[in-house]
Amino acid sequence: MSGGTRAVVAGWNGFIGRRLVDDLTARGYVVACVGRHGPDGRWSDRTSLRRLVDGSALVVNLAGKSVGCRYTHGNREEILRSRVDTTRLLREAIAAAVQPPRLWLNASTATIYRYALDRPQTEADGELGMGFSVDVARSWERELFAGELPGTRRVALRMAIVLGGPASDLLARVARLGVGGAQYDGWWFQHRRYRGIGAEPTGGPVPIHHSHGRQKFSWIHIDDVLDAIRFLEQRHELEGPVNLASPNPSDNHTLMTELRRTVGMPIGIPAPRWLLEPAMWALRNESELLLKSRWVLPERLTSAGFEFRWPMLGPALGDTVR
């Protein structure tokens, strides 16, 4: 590929990837898309990866199986493998490049932090959690930052739940069905779907947190994800983990109230865990999406001067859910 500044986007066919490709193209990049079936590079073809990465200005890796599924053994293994293996392949391609990209942005997740009700988690003092989702994120970032890449700045995008895609669509669906009250943790049958994974698995039995619907909900609008990527391109001092989350996290009770208002549903039946678990089974998702208290702040972005287009939850839901 020639004719302009090249950006390589891996995992381009997800909802964030498609929006990113459009944004990069509008900004004048020649975008090369990498995926299982291309079109410009395939994971099975390391030569094509090296060719695309060499001479590019920017690499963004969003590849990975969606976590919007049940954590069966097969899905757990594929969620981990699809993130770690693709990140390793890109790292090896960058290491072999004669002209490596100046910047490599790799997706990660704000779920890497522990369940938090006592204080927010930042890049500087956040505490990592335990269990399946955290272990996936640890392995993902470990692969990103392995080895020496002296010509390439590496950033892990620790994204909170992104509004405008599958997660907010699922929440809106729950609200429209009239069961959009707060979700309450409580007793449920023990299972092993959330057990640790990877080289250094962590975690034990499924924890129960009596947060009474006040578990924190950290989120970010898709527009702010794209704006943050533009911002990171220009701020050469920012590397390592960066939290992508609104500076105004909400909680579960407020989230569901705002969702009901947005979709015009006047009622919302609260969901204790014994009711939530069968519903999430029917929706082929895990209750962790709603029950984990994610309290994450974008300290590095805001300290560097980044301004959010959608800092408040109500307007952000109004724009994305409608």
Side-chain angles (χ1 to χ4, degrees), residues 179-192:
V179 289
Q183 287 88 32
Y184 300 97
D185 205 347
W187 179 87
W188 187 247
F189 301 100
Q190 284 295 316
H191 60 76
R192 302 185 67 240

Side-chain angles (χ1 to χ4, degrees), residues 53-59 93-103 149-152:
V53 164
D54 201 341
S56 66
L58 171 67
V59 171
I94 292 172
V98 176
Q99 293 181 288
R102 297 187 299 273
L103 176 60
L149 296 177
T152 302

